Amino acid sequence: MNALSLQAKFIRIRSNKLFEIFVISVIIFSALLVGAKTYEMSPTMYHLTQFLDWFISAFFLTEITIRFLAEERKKDFFKNFWNVFDTLIVVVSLIPAEDADLAVIARLVRVFRVLRMISIIPELRILLVSLVKALPQLGYVMLLMFIIFYIYAAIGSTLFESINPDLWGDIAISLLTLFRVMTFEDWTDVMYETMEVYPLSWAFYLTFIFFTAFAFLNMVIGIVVNVMEQENELARKQKAKEEAAEHDLEEEPTLSDLLVHIKGLQQQVEQLSAQTTKQEK
């Protein structure tokens, strides 16, 4: 078995849906195991959880090795952020949890194993990448929203401080009150209290809600959805490229195929040579 056929088998294992589901199941079981360790348990159960923990670590090490061997160019494996993230989680998970000095770190790393679901499940990966890539555009929206918050907080603190200092005493408290209004947490109680002194103060709250809860939050959703569509398109292209590469590897002739082809050519040459000799006679 040559290197190309071996790599093709690793690629088939990596892209196999059953293998992917099994990996996800082990990740979920690992998270449940971490939660189970927070309860008191008998010595037998404790030793069983320790064995299962080492089994999970060994499985993750095997799985990351398969993914590494399936990579056509081994150097490119670590150019992918998710491969580096998974490798780091797996390697640090090998820290013995029984070591008193490293026990806390080991337990924390085992908790973060559940984050591997993001790198395993493409849909979750697209969601996270889309959110990160949308942050620069979201930053300007957040800045504009903060300006609106600051203006309304200054107005509210100036007009309503005498009505309720607990809600409008200074600009910092006013910002918290406006956040409460934006999230619709009993905001009508705040509005009705100020309307007893300023009957037209409802305009203050309604315009603020329109700018923040409706306009700006919809802008945030629009930006994230737009970036997500771009990431989905890139993911589709990448998947098509990987399937094409896998197809090429499967069609790559092995040494045995070449020997059979050569033997067939030799037989054809011998037949032609025999026919030529027969015609000459």
Side-chain angles (χ1 to χ4, degrees):
M1 183 181 297
N2 59 14
L4 288 175
S5 60
L6 186 62
Q7 183 183 3
K9 289 193 173 184
F10 282 127
I11 291 176
R12 284 195 293 270
I13 294 174
R14 182 186 64 181
S15 56
N16 187 280
K17 289 297 180 182
L18 291 177
F19 180 73
E20 183 179 317
I21 293 172
F22 185 69
V23 172
I24 295 173
S25 302
V26 174
I27 293 173
I28 295 174
F29 181 76
S30 173
L32 295 176
L33 187 63
V34 171
K37 287 184 177 180
T38 60
Y39 294 93
E40 293 184 4
M41 57 182 66
S42 63
T44 303
M45 287 298 298
Y46 175 78
H47 291 300
L48 178 61
T49 56
Q50 292 298 110
F51 170 77
L52 290 174
D53 188 73
W54 278 108
F55 168 78
I56 292 171
S57 298
F59 174 78
F60 283 158
L61 184 62
T62 303
E63 184 257 341
I64 205 72
T65 303
I66 290 174
R67 286 167 53 188
F68 175 76
L69 294 176
E71 191 70 33
E72 184 178 356
R73 297 180 180 178
K74 301 300 184 286
K75 293 181 180 179
D76 294 342
F77 180 81
F78 295 104
K79 292 181 180 179
N80 188 315
F81 168 78
W82 297 110
N83 291 337
V84 175
F85 174 79
D86 287 344
T87 304
L88 185 62
I89 292 293
V90 170
V91 171
V92 181
S93 295
L94 299 177
I95 297 175
E98 296 81 6
D99 194 324
D101 296 331
L102 301 176
V104 176
I105 298 176
R107 291 194 187 101
L108 287 175
V109 171
R110 282 161 173 76
V111 171
F112 286 114
R113 278 174 175 172
V114 71
L115 289 176
R116 291 205 59 213
M117 290 188 67
I118 299 176
S119 62
I120 296 297
I121 302 176
E123 288 76 11
L124 292 179
R125 188 165 61 242
I126 290 173
L127 286 175
L128 183 61
V129 172
S130 300
L131 182 60
V132 172
K133 288 189 175 182
L135 286 179
Q137 300 178 54
L138 292 177
Y140 294 106
V141 177
M142 293 297 108
L143 178 60
L144 184 56
M145 183 181 290
F146 175 76
I147 293 173
I148 298 298
F149 258 85
Y150 194 85
I151 292 173
Y152 274 83
I155 295 173
S157 181
T158 302
L159 295 178
F160 308 140
E161 179 183 5
S162 59
I163 299 175
N164 190 339
D166 293 334
L167 296 178
W168 307 99
D170 54 48
I171 198 164
I173 296 176
S174 298
L175 287 170
L176 291 175
T177 303
L178 288 175
F179 183 79
R180 170 184 171 181
V181 172
M182 185 190 73
T183 55
F184 303 109
E185 178 64 28
D186 293 332
W187 72 278
T188 53
D189 296 340
V190 180
M191 182 181 67
Y192 291 144
E193 185 180 38
T194 59
M195 283 180 64
E196 292 178 0
V197 180
Y198 299 100
L200 295 178
S201 63
W202 58 266
F204 172 86
Y205 298 98
L206 293 184
T207 54
F208 174 77
I209 290 174
F210 173 80
F211 281 126
T212 56
F214 296 154
F216 288 116
L217 290 184
N218 283 326
M219 289 173 63
V220 170
I221 294 172
I223 291 172
V224 174
V225 169
N226 183 46
V227 176
M228 194 178 300
E229 289 178 353
Q230 296 175 3
E231 288 301 311
N232 280 321
E233 183 63 26
L234 289 175
R236 284 192 290 268
K237 291 181 180 179
Q238 182 65 26
K239 185 177 180 180
K241 184 178 179 181
E242 290 176 356
E243 290 177 352
E246 181 180 352
H247 182 69
D248 292 341
L249 281 174
E250 290 178 350
E251 291 187 348
E252 191 73 28
T254 61
L255 181 60
S256 59
D257 294 334
L258 291 175
L259 291 175
V260 171
H261 185 64
I262 291 173
K263 186 175 291 186
L265 291 175
Q266 288 177 345
Q267 291 176 354
Q268 292 179 6
V269 170
E270 291 175 357
Q271 290 176 359
L272 290 173
S273 177
Q275 291 178 359
T276 303
T277 304
K278 187 177 180 180
Q279 291 175 358
E280 289 179 352
K281 291 181 178 180

